[in-house]
Amino acid sequence: MKVPQHIPKALRYSMRDFMNEFPNDAACLEYIKEQRFPGGITECIKCKVERKHHRVGNRTAYACDHCGNHIYPLAGTIFHKSATPLRLWFYAMYLMGSTRCGISAKQIQREIGVTYKTAWRMFKQIRSLLSDKDLKLMGPTVEIDETYMGGKRKRGTGRPMRGDKTKIPVVGIVERGGKVVAKVIPDVTRDSITGMVKKHVPAGSTVYSDEYQSYALIGRLYDDNGKILGYKHDTVKHGADEFVRGEVHTNSVEGFWALVKNGVRGVYHQVSPAYLQNYLNEYAFRYNHRFEGNKQFKRILERVSERTA
Ligand SMILES: [Zn+2]
């Protein structure tokens, strides 16, 4: 797999870099151990004093030099109890963190030579590391927009019409020059949408949207303590063919939807409603780390220890 050429050199992490840093399973295990026990395993939980530990044969364990008590750095991680060699997991993560629009379980199956079932499981586990459910945006200027995914429209584009029941509404909020939050929501009522704004957008931010009525009260929202949130809200009148009025536009969030939809079309072909949020998480992660080149792989790796069960 080639590293895309548009990535600046400092942000490239090539296949060769990967092979040098992770030449075998032991190097991968050592990496996870170092993540979870920075500076090494220094204390034995059984002896309750400082003890040296050594790697146990070819098991994923380290043992106390004195009493032999085992420590398993992979316990609670996505690798726990997997029969797939650790380096193949790392390689799958490398692939997922190195492509611009994602990679499917099918491609993982082909690239690393495991069964589809295994590839799908790895894919799902790795993707679980990419979610940022409670991400609070920084503001000060955000754009909000909703779109519909996963099902077929009877005709045309845009908001669903009667008979388009299988379409699922998703809402995205992008801070200009920064991050995105994208969520599947049960409906596009004012309550659903304002709930999301209150959760993710800091008070006092400027919020741009189109003129859809569910956005209408954003400028007059209160927090749970009855304090006005002070959002400055302005809209573009898409209905009147107005798409940009100076600073007022939703181009960033629409750009994000284009990425997601292209990805789904090109990589996954279709998306089942049950997995839609996972797809959104993956694309949001990629968008939020877009300035890190394919060092995104390292970000994914960092999350292994942060997200232990
Ligand atoms: Zn011990």
Side-chain angles (χ1 to χ4, degrees):
M1 167 143 317
K2 266 171 86 181
V3 173
Q5 287 308 302
H6 63 274
I7 298 177
K9 209 167 175 196
L11 298 178
R12 278 186 215 162
Y13 187 83
S14 67
M15 189 63 214
R16 180 189 290 249
D17 295 329
F18 177 83
M19 297 208 292
N20 285 340
E21 189 169 1
F22 303 107
N24 48 41
D25 291 337
C28 299
L29 180 66
E30 197 59 29
Y31 191 91
I32 299 294
K33 185 199 78 177
E34 213 30 59
Q35 253 188 356
R36 303 195 71 184
F37 304 92
I41 303 167
T42 48
E43 201 185 290
C44 172
I45 45 167
K46 220 164 165 190
C47 300
K48 293 193 164 54
V49 289
E50 272 190 29
R51 296 281 192 212
K52 281 209 158 101
H53 285 69
H54 60 273
R55 172 87 194 277
V56 185
N58 33 18
R59 300 182 57 186
T60 55
Y62 293 80
C64 166
D65 280 358
H66 183 75
C67 74
N69 184 56
H70 282 29
I71 302 253
Y72 297 88
L74 303 186
T77 70
I78 60 166
F79 313 125
H80 189 44
K81 290 188 173 159
S82 166
T84 306
L86 203 48
R87 190 165 182 249
L88 291 185
W89 273 101
F90 274 49
Y91 185 47
M93 293 166 99
Y94 174 72
L95 295 175
M96 285 177 76
S98 296
T99 54
R100 219 156 106 94
C101 22
I103 177 168
S104 65
K106 192 85 201 155
Q107 285 166 290
I108 288 178
Q109 175 195 7
R110 271 198 300 266
E111 286 277 340
I112 62 182
V114 291
T115 64
Y116 183 71
K117 205 177 143 195
T118 300
W120 170 244
R121 189 175 158 263
M122 294 170 82
F123 177 72
K124 228 173 74 183
Q125 296 278 11
I126 294 168
R127 207 164 51 182
S128 74
L129 300 175
L130 307 184
S131 74
D132 284 301
K133 172 154 117 336
D134 301 317
L135 181 70
K136 188 94 185 173
L137 299 170
M138 315 259 290
T141 305
V142 308
E143 302 171 17
I144 183 167
D145 190 31
E146 88 288 358
T147 189
Y148 299 84
M149 294 186 67
K152 285 207 165 47
R153 277 187 55 104
K154 290 168 98 179
R155 63 193 154 87
T157 54
R159 292 190 172 106
M161 303 174 301
R162 209 167 289 169
D164 285 347
K165 282 209 161 58
T166 50
K167 282 271 181 200
I168 299 162
V170 296
V171 170
I173 309 177
V174 173
E175 64 193 3
R176 288 195 182 156
K179 296 186 171 180
V180 65
V181 170
K183 294 242 166 108
V184 172
I185 53 168
D187 53 58
V188 289
T189 58
R190 191 169 283 171
D191 280 353
S192 297
I193 285 180
T194 55
M196 203 174 142
V197 172
K198 281 159 81 169
K199 179 168 181 188
H200 297 283
V201 181
S205 296
T206 297
V207 182
Y208 295 131
S209 71
D210 63 23
E211 70 276 41
Y212 188 43
Q213 54 179 7
S214 293
Y215 301 121
L217 291 183
I218 286 177
R220 280 177 275 158
L221 293 179
Y222 292 84
D223 69 11
D224 296 339
N225 303 318
K227 202 172 156 235
I228 189 143
L229 284 157
Y231 295 127
K232 294 174 269 304
H233 180 226
D234 209 341
T235 60
V236 267
K237 316 277 183 288
H238 283 172
D241 271 345
E242 176 194 67
F243 292 92
V244 181
R245 191 177 66 251
E247 284 295 294
V248 188
H249 62 79
T250 52
N251 291 349
S252 316
V253 63
E254 284 164 35
F256 176 71
W257 293 140
L259 282 177
V260 173
K261 289 179 177 182
N262 280 334
V264 169
R265 237 191 328 269
V267 182
Y268 305 113
H269 310 300
Q270 56 175 29
V271 50
S272 94
Y275 295 116
L276 187 52
Q277 186 62 55
N278 296 339
Y279 286 96
L280 293 176
N281 293 344
E282 182 183 345
Y283 281 94
F285 179 88
R286 206 162 268 129
Y287 186 88
N288 293 344
H289 297 274
R290 66 195 179 281
F291 302 122
E292 294 170 42
N294 64 342
K295 289 202 167 145
Q296 281 181 22
F297 160 60
K298 287 297 185 73
R299 291 286 96 75
I300 301 175
L301 210 45
E302 275 167 16
R303 292 193 171 188
V304 170
S305 305
E306 292 166 15
R307 310 273 171 102
T308 51

